[in-house]
């Protein structure tokens, strides 16, 4: 049976599968594209072809106003994450805004039925965990909303996979101490992207390179996850720096100019459409 949950910015989760608060008749879960055209004589040339914004909607069927108020209190702390599990896989959708209608309790069935619409900021995506290097050594894997794969290997190589037909975003994190980190992404023996940042960090800091267009950054963070300063200006601008993972298998090779063993992890967001 399909299941839905919604999580707010405070990390609170509302179970939308409850008997007293059930998400009914969901729609808008699929994929569509929209195109713009320019007329050329008797033909139309395509100018742009992009994914349409996800706006899943349906009816929340509440036993009464108490459950409605509970649901609304969760939704008010945006941004949200809508979670959808049709079978065994859970898909995620980042949501910034929503609409929740309010009606009256029906005298026919005694339920309060309210339409809810979520306006997505992303396609549906699944989380991927990078947990194995080229030498076959296991990394340390942490289970958070996004996959955290921690590598501590002299080879400095992570094997990545993107099972989607769409490019995946990557968030690359280097732990200090580190000097001028360098990375190359290759597929089928051919380099497809590279990056370098001219920075030296101590053991109490890490460098984050995020390719998500909504969160683009090259920045220094402390070990508690607090941003210390922007480091974009110290990029080697002859390199691409931001990694988007092509469909299929790839390898990410990293190195730095320091004497210490390199430590890093990769978060991959794979889009399902």
């Amino acid at each position: 049976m399909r299941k839905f949950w919604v999580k707010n910015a405070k990390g609170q989760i509302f179970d939308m599968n409850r008997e007293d608060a059930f998400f009914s008749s969901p729609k808008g879960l699929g994929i569509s594209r929209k195109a713009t055209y320019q007329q050329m004589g008797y033909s139309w040339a395509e100018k742009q072809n992009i994914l349409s914004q996800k706006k899943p909607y349906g009816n929340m069927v509440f036993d009464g106003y108490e459950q409605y108020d509970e649901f609304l209190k969760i939704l008010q702390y945006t941004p949200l994450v809508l979670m959808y599990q049709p079978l065994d896989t859970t898909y995620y959708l980042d949501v910034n805004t929503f609409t929740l209608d309010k009606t009256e309790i029906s005298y026919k069935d005694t339920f309060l039925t309210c339409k809810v619409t979520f306006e997505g900021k992303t396609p549906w995506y699944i989380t991927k965990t990078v947990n194995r290097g080229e030498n076959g050594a296991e990394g340390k894997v942490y289970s958070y909303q996004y996959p955290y794969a921690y590598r501590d290997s002299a080879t400095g190589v992570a094997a990545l996979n993107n099972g989607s037909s769409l490019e995946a975003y990557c968030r690359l994190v280097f732990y200090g101490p580190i000097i001028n980190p360098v990375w190359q992404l290759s597929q089928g023996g051919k380099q497809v992207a590279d990056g370098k940042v001219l920075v030296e960090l101590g053991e109490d800091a890490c460098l984050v390179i995020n390719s998500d267009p909504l969160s683009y950054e090259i920045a220094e963070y402390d070990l508690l996850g607090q941003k210390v300063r922007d480091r974009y200006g110290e990029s080697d601008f002859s390199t691409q720096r931001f990694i988007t993972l092509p469909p299929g298998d790839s390898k990410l090779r990293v190195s730095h100019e320091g004497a210490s063993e390199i430590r890093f992890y990769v978060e991959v967001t794979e889009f399902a459409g």
Side-chain angles (χ1 to χ4, degrees):
M1 178 181 176
R2 95 295 186 274
K3 296 179 181 179
F4 289 91
W5 303 265
V6 63
K7 181 168 71 172
N8 66 16
K10 297 175 68 174
Q12 299 168 318
I13 296 177
F14 190 94
D15 185 349
M16 301 166 69
N17 314 288
R18 292 162 30 177
E19 291 186 2
D20 63 344
F22 184 74
F23 188 42
S24 174
S25 304
K27 295 180 175 61
L29 303 175
I31 184 172
S32 65
R33 302 189 71 92
K34 59 182 179 181
T36 57
Y37 300 89
Q38 178 179 355
Q39 186 171 0
M40 301 180 67
Y42 297 117
S43 303
W44 283 263
E46 184 180 281
K47 295 175 62 178
Q48 187 180 43
N49 190 318
I50 59 175
L51 283 174
S52 298
Q53 182 185 15
K54 297 289 184 293
K55 293 185 179 183
Y57 65 95
N59 292 322
M60 283 300 300
V61 182
F62 302 104
D63 272 6
Y65 297 115
E66 180 180 350
Q67 291 80 8
Y68 173 91
D69 290 340
E70 181 187 355
F71 185 60
L72 181 58
K73 287 177 182 177
I74 294 291
L75 297 188
Q76 286 178 334
Y77 293 97
T78 58
L80 308 170
V81 178
L82 182 64
M83 293 171 274
Y84 168 44
Q85 187 182 83
L87 294 171
D88 297 327
T89 302
T90 300
Y91 297 88
Y92 300 87
L93 180 73
D94 292 345
V95 174
N96 193 45
T97 57
F98 66 92
T99 302
L100 178 62
D101 295 338
K102 185 174 183 180
T103 59
E104 294 295 329
I105 293 177
S106 171
Y107 70 90
K108 294 182 179 180
D109 56 22
T110 71
F111 293 122
L112 178 65
T113 302
C114 305
K115 181 179 178 181
V116 61
T117 302
F118 299 97
E119 297 189 359
K121 297 196 302 180
T122 64
W124 291 104
Y125 62 87
I126 60 175
T127 58
K128 302 283 285 188
T129 301
V130 181
N131 63 359
R132 188 176 294 275
E134 188 176 59
N135 62 353
E138 292 289 346
K140 301 174 186 176
V141 182
Y142 300 86
S143 178
Y144 301 125
Q145 175 188 340
Y146 291 98
Y148 282 71
Y150 178 79
R151 291 285 302 134
D152 190 352
S153 170
T155 62
V157 175
L160 308 177
N161 173 267
N162 177 10
S164 172
S165 60
L166 304 174
E167 288 188 325
Y169 299 148
C170 290
R171 185 172 181 265
L172 176 59
V173 180
F174 292 100
Y175 278 106
I178 194 166
I179 301 173
N180 301 339
V182 179
W183 56 99
Q184 296 93 25
L185 181 69
S186 62
Q187 186 174 65
K190 180 180 179 181
Q191 181 174 302
V192 296
D194 66 344
K196 184 176 183 179
V197 180
L198 304 173
V199 65
E200 181 173 356
L201 299 180
E203 63 182 11
D204 59 346
C206 59
L207 182 68
V208 175
I209 302 95
N210 194 342
S211 70
D212 185 338
L214 298 180
S215 307
Y216 261 141
E217 68 172 351
I218 297 177
E220 177 185 343
Y221 281 75
D222 64 26
L223 298 184
L224 296 177
Q226 300 298 313
K227 187 173 181 177
V228 177
R229 63 178 62 87
D230 184 83
R231 293 287 194 169
Y232 179 84
E234 291 152 284
S235 300
D236 181 341
F237 290 98
S238 67
T239 65
Q240 291 126 316
R241 290 151 294 140
F242 298 103
I243 295 174
T244 54
L245 194 63
D249 295 322
S250 303
K251 285 186 178 179
L252 180 67
R253 184 178 297 275
V254 303
S255 61
H256 76 129
E257 296 175 9
S260 61
E261 190 171 50
I262 194 163
R263 298 186 298 148
F264 72 100
Y265 67 80
V266 186
E267 298 172 6
V268 177
T269 302
E270 180 182 300
F271 294 110

